[in-house]
Amino acid sequence: MTTTPVLTGAITALVTPMNADGSLDEATLVALVERQLDAGINGLVPVGTTGESPTLSAQEDQRVIALTVEAVRRRSLAGTTPVIAGTGSNVTEHAIAYTQAAARLGADAALVVSPYYNKPDQRMLEAHYLAVAEEGGLPVVVYNVPGRTGGNVAADTLMRLAEHPRIVGVKEASANLEQIMTIVRDRPAGFAVLSGDDSWTLPIMGVGGDGVISVASNEVPEVMVALCDAARRGDMATARDIHYRHLDLFRVNFITTSPSPVKAAMAEMGLLTDALRMPMLPLDEANREQVRAVLAELDLLPTPAGTAA
């Protein structure tokens, strides 16, 4: 038996900090998770795409999940701040195994991206997700991101999947508002609809969605919590103000392939070392200048030593 976590509000797609030699920076990871919890974040996603899961080994995936779960438990937030581990693969057997491992480590749910490159059709997608839900041992959040996978999880396919008691939500990054509205309208009670893009958080919550799995909350967790809280209580004027003030940040985080921009921003903020694993590379200088400009506009850059605040 599994308990369905509450999936709502601002949920951070955590970056995975690394040392200059490419090894995991475990101390910084724990510090970043603590920073998220201090900000009142509503959930955490370790080893998603933002966490560079494609270039982590299975053992490293599990270590990042374990450290995240342990940090949440130390704060007595288990069950309150769900850990939704990235466990997707384009091999169904692997996705099941990764999900089972995350369950053993204490994750609350699994974020399962639709299979990429091999591009299964809708019948095949349905079979893939049902197998993970049946055998993985965790509640499953479907991750629909056609721009990365080459295929879309159609609304009618998702609604059939939502009939399974362990398929509990969707991270929707299709950029297809008509599809998202159809899902919001037709979903069963308790099925979470989460934006997969920070700039779509306000529109999706405005039509009845539940929150966001966020990149920007790596930089500004309290901002994304405030945006989602305002939208959830119907204070759309406040939500719009927050949204438009931070729209350039949402955009610059995808000035090139994520997570290069968000890691560059966090390095500028003094939160981590700007290290990634190839084929990802640190941001080039021209794009880095744009990141710095946005951070400066939002007063997110640290004050230089010896300068009055």
Side-chain angles (χ1 to χ4, degrees), residues 70-233:
E70 289 165 9
V72 171
R73 287 178 174 173
R74 278 195 301 273
R75 299 284 287 270
S76 300
L77 292 170
T80 302
T81 306
V83 175
I84 309 153
T87 64
S89 173
N90 60 351
V91 180
T92 303
E93 181 182 359
H94 293 176
I96 292 168
Y98 298 156
T99 304
Q100 290 172 339
R104 289 193 295 271
L105 292 167
D108 299 288
L111 179 66
V112 180
V113 69
S114 60
Y116 40 87
Y117 189 71
N118 45 14
K119 296 177 67 174
D121 64 21
Q122 298 300 305
R123 179 179 66 93
M124 299 170 189
L125 282 171
E126 188 171 350
H128 171 80
Y129 277 110
L130 289 174
V132 177
E134 282 292 326
E135 301 180 45
L138 282 177
V140 170
V141 178
V142 174
Y143 183 12
N144 186 33
V145 57
R148 284 189 182 267
T149 65
N152 178 55
V153 181
D156 57 349
T157 300
L158 185 64
M159 290 303 93
R160 288 193 298 275
L161 290 171
E163 295 173 6
H164 193 287
R166 277 210 290 262
I167 298 181
V168 299
V170 63
K171 177 183 178 182
E172 242 295 347
S174 68
N176 181 339
L177 187 57
E178 183 175 352
Q179 173 170 291
I180 295 165
M181 290 190 296
T182 301
I183 294 165
V184 170
R185 182 193 66 188
D186 295 345
R187 62 180 166 167
F191 186 85
V193 179
L194 302 166
S195 173
D197 187 322
D198 289 299
S199 63
W200 279 76
T201 306
L202 181 63
I204 288 176
M205 295 192 76
V207 298
D210 299 289
V212 60
I213 295 181
S214 172
V215 173
S217 56
N218 282 284
E219 300 143 323
V220 287
E222 68 290 336
V223 167
M224 297 310 297
V225 169
L227 192 163
C228 291
D229 283 351
R232 287 161 63 192
R233 66 175 181 266

Side-chain angles (χ1 to χ4, degrees), residues 61-79:
D61 271 357
Q62 291 177 31
R63 182 61 178 157
V64 172
I65 294 166
L67 288 169
T68 304
V69 169
E70 289 165 9
V72 171
R73 287 178 174 173
R74 278 195 301 273
R75 299 284 287 270
S76 300
L77 292 170

